[in-house]
Amino acid sequence: MSYFLLLIVLLLIGMPISISLLVVGLLYMFLTGQVDLIVAAQRIATGLDSASLLAIPFFLLAGNLMNMTGITNKIFNLASILVGHIRGGLGHVNVVGSMIFAGMSGSAVADAAGLGAIEMKAMVDEGFDLDFSAAITAASSTIAPIIPPSISGTIYALAAGVSIGGVFLAGVLPGILMGITMMVMVYFISKKRDYPVRPRGTMRQFFKALIEALPALMAPLLMLGGILAGVFTATEAGVVGSLYALILGFVNKELKLRDLPGVLLDTLKTAGDTLFIIGVTALIGWILTLEQVPMRMSQWIATIAPTPGLFLLLLNLILLLLGCFMASSPVIVMCTPIVLPVALMMGIDPIHLGIIIVLNLMIGLITPPVGVCLYAVSAVAKMPVMRVAKAVIPFYVPLLICLLITTYWPDFVLFLPRLFGLA
Amino acid sequence: MRLARMLKKTYYWLLVAIFLVMLVSTGLQVIFRYFLGYPLGWTEELSKIMFIWAAFLTVGALTMEDQLMKIEVLVERLPAGLANILNIVVKFCSGVFLLWLAVLGVRLLDLTKYQVSTALQIPYWLIYLSLPLGMIIAGGVMFAQSFAAIKTKR
């Protein structure tokens, strides 16, 4: 308990998350003196000695490259023809655009900053309020890590030791549900504020937009299809996705060879911290097992939340709170080893648990004070973060409805993974 | 100063090169297994070794740019003087623990000096060398930042 309090203090005084964990781990081993400290170095080094972990930088790279292929405009056009004529026009286009983009990239920030910039400009030009445009852009960006591929899903799958393909598939239906519920919200707000609609497109325009956006639509089929058909592993799918984006970028003449080192370095920097946290967490996980923390945790939770329903409610509340203050990947890496054994004991499917964890933390991306998507949108829209945060509030309603459905209807989440024999 | 800039640049290029090897090796793995029906035995191991190097060395790069993830909500709301003192203490302690891990990492090298990897026969100390190296860079940078903060305070 005292170590846990120390960790909280270190985190609050601004020590990097990875180093805070390292301090607690090393101090524990030093003070208990039961084992040689060399085990710490060994655990951290071997914690990263796994080929599956390469999926994290590879999927990040694929997402970063997809953003540079110049295909975002075409996604926007297709979404516009599909749903632009519904009341709230570009608001719906924003959501559907994010859903299509989610299939190419697993990163919410990439969606908010890349596609978001195009969407917000178009919305303001057509007479939407900037607040509303920023809010729907931020809210819809949270779909990206739910619809596969997903960086957060990959990190969870690796931390929990479940199939990455299974977690990816489990995200499909909740992701679509998020889109639909957000569109309902857009519809009601737009009706009240009398936001404009776009003229209905012709069949010809539809097919033209569809063909132009086809490379974007193909990306998820290529990556997910390849994994499910057993052609390549999830790690390799990240490389295939990157290569696909690279070819697309070169063909569209949007990507130059000299951009490549910069993208590689940026990707590595984004992934590096999470990877170090994963390494250090391997040490912490070892200590937790030594101290029988998961077992004691299970007993404790069994007394305060004896049913799976109550346990999941408690889990949701804790994760939503953590998501307000922390980035998603460290929370996934730190919480999974503690929560998973309890969930398994209660008969909760690990893949279902993964989607619950990821969805909670995605809501955390648009909650202040720490919400990377709020910051990304505020930077693009040039408006204060707290103004974006205030405008986003109505969209918590659809997101929380989705969270409830996802949490308490496992059959809905697990339908696709079961269909493919992965759950 | 120029030397420092050059070193940093070289360091970043090294990271890019490592990532590129990781990518190409995994790419070859797919091509050879699926398209040529001739699976290569060493690609996965090479990618994994490069990955371990990339992961630990990137910690150094992130420290230089003060980009390691942290919770800043509370510190941002503190008075500037107190925040600065806290920053000095946090950086100094971070440096101590990173260097401690580096020392343990060096001992790990000694422990694994006779082991070699299965496919490529690469000695394990060469793989795990990345841990102490990355930690020495990160720890050293933390100390430097801590002392620089003390200096500006004066």
Side-chain angles (χ1 to χ4, degrees), chain A residues 55-118:
Chain A
I56 298 171
F58 288 162
F59 273 121
L60 265 173
L61 178 68
N64 284 346
L65 287 171
M66 294 279 184
N67 233 355
M68 299 174 77
T69 51
I71 207 160
T72 31
N73 274 315
K74 282 153 192 163
I75 294 179
F76 178 79
N77 288 341
L78 178 65
S80 169
I81 301 250
L82 282 174
V83 290
H85 58 276
I86 305 172
R87 169 66 58 196
L90 281 177
H92 300 292
V93 174
N94 197 319
V95 177
V96 173
S98 289
M99 287 164 75
I100 301 173
F101 184 80
M104 294 168 51
S105 157
S107 152
V109 183
D111 178 15
L115 188 61
I118 302 170

Side-chain angles (χ1 to χ4, degrees), chain B residues 33-154:
Chain B
R33 191 188 57 231
Y34 189 70
F35 294 103
L36 306 177
Y38 177 76
L40 298 171
W42 50 268
T43 46
E44 187 174 307
E45 201 174 279
L46 179 64
S47 312
K48 214 167 65 180
I49 294 170
M50 289 297 130
F51 170 75
I52 295 172
W53 269 91
F56 288 126
L57 285 187
T58 309
V59 179
L62 288 169
T63 317
M64 284 180 209
E65 294 178 14
D66 207 2
Q67 275 185 0
L68 287 171
M69 277 186 270
K70 53 181 167 240
I71 300 175
E72 285 164 319
V73 191
L74 195 76
V75 183
E76 274 168 2
R77 281 166 179 68
L78 292 176
L82 188 61
N84 197 19
I85 294 174
L86 215 52
N87 178 39
I88 293 169
V89 175
V90 164
K91 291 254 159 80
F92 187 82
C93 293
S94 301
V96 171
F97 280 85
L98 286 168
L99 289 186
W100 192 0
L101 181 58
V103 173
L104 296 172
V106 173
R107 283 184 53 206
L108 182 66
L109 300 187
D110 191 50
L111 193 77
T112 52
K113 66 183 167 196
Y114 300 116
Q115 284 174 306
V116 289
S117 70
T118 354
L120 291 165
Q121 300 284 308
I122 291 177
Y124 258 89
W125 69 264
L126 206 58
I127 303 172
Y128 289 156
L129 180 64
S130 55
L131 173 69
L133 210 58
M135 295 309 115
I136 287 171
I137 295 170
V141 172
M142 282 286 184
F143 278 130
Q145 287 173 349
S146 172
F147 292 134
I150 295 174
K151 235 168 145 183
T152 42
K153 195 168 176 277
R154 282 194 186 139

Side-chain angles (χ1 to χ4, degrees), chain A residues 305-324:
Chain A
T307 64
L310 277 174
F311 164 69
L312 287 176
L313 184 70
L314 187 71
L315 180 70
N316 277 329
L317 292 175
I318 293 173
L319 286 172
L320 283 175
L321 188 72
L322 283 176
C324 290

Side-chain angles (χ1 to χ4, degrees), chain A residues 38-342:
Chain A
I38 201 170
V39 174
Q42 197 185 16
R43 287 282 149 183
I44 293 172
T46 49
L48 288 177
D49 200 344
S50 150
S52 337
L53 282 175
L54 275 79
I56 298 171
F58 288 162
F59 273 121
L60 265 173
L61 178 68
N64 284 346
L65 287 171
M66 294 279 184
N67 233 355
M68 299 174 77
T69 51
I71 207 160
T72 31
N73 274 315
K74 282 153 192 163
I75 294 179
F76 178 79
N77 288 341
L78 178 65
S80 169
I81 301 250
L82 282 174
V83 290
H85 58 276
I86 305 172
R87 169 66 58 196
L90 281 177
H92 300 292
V93 174
N94 197 319
V95 177
V96 173
S98 289
M99 287 164 75
I100 301 173
F101 184 80
M104 294 168 51
S105 157
S107 152
V109 183
D111 178 15
L115 188 61
I118 302 170
E119 291 168 339
M120 271 189 278
K121 188 180 175 301
M123 285 180 80
V124 172
D125 287 349
E126 252 181 44
F128 285 83
D129 296 314
L130 181 61
D131 289 70
F132 177 75
S133 316
I136 186 63
T137 303
S140 65
S141 72
T142 60
I143 301 176
I146 305 291
I147 291 183
S150 157
I151 314 280
S152 300
T154 307
I155 294 174
Y156 170 79
L158 294 169
V162 295
S163 131
I164 297 181
V167 175
F168 278 9
L169 272 179
V172 175
L173 293 180
I176 293 172
L177 182 71
M178 283 165 84
I180 294 171
T181 50
M182 274 186 221
M183 283 170 74
V184 173
M185 193 47 137
V186 168
Y187 180 81
F188 282 119
I189 295 177
S190 303
K191 212 166 168 187
K192 213 169 118 195
R193 300 190 193 167
D194 203 23
Y195 282 141
V197 286
R198 304 199 123 191
R200 194 184 278 272
T202 60
M203 258 327 197
R204 222 187 117 130
Q205 285 172 317
F206 167 71
F207 280 112
K208 187 169 171 278
L210 182 70
I211 289 166
E212 279 182 350
L214 206 59
L217 298 169
M218 288 294 291
L221 291 180
L222 178 74
M223 287 189 268
L224 197 60
I227 298 174
L228 294 176
V231 177
F232 35 71
T233 64
T235 307
E236 293 165 349
V239 179
V240 174
S242 302
L243 195 67
Y244 180 74
L246 212 58
I247 295 171
L248 221 59
F250 287 147
V251 171
N252 287 345
K253 295 194 175 70
E254 292 279 338
L255 204 65
K256 309 261 179 315
L257 206 56
R258 63 164 183 273
D259 299 331
L260 218 51
V263 187
L264 289 176
L265 192 62
D266 278 347
T267 306
L268 213 49
K269 281 188 193 163
T270 317
D273 204 2
T274 303
L275 298 176
F276 187 43
I277 293 176
I278 290 177
V280 181
T281 311
L283 167 68
I284 301 290
W286 180 76
I287 294 174
L288 289 178
T289 319
L290 207 70
E291 285 281 304
Q292 298 181 316
V293 172
M295 208 184 78
R296 281 194 277 167
M297 189 83 171
S298 313
Q299 287 165 348
W300 179 67
I301 287 178
T303 54
I304 55 164
T307 64
L310 277 174
F311 164 69
L312 287 176
L313 184 70
L314 187 71
L315 180 70
N316 277 329
L317 292 175
I318 293 173
L319 286 172
L320 283 175
L321 188 72
L322 283 176
C324 290
F325 294 97
M326 281 173 83
S328 49
S329 14
V331 180
I332 299 173
V333 178
M334 292 191 299
C335 286
T336 307
I338 302 175
V339 175
L340 185 68
V342 187

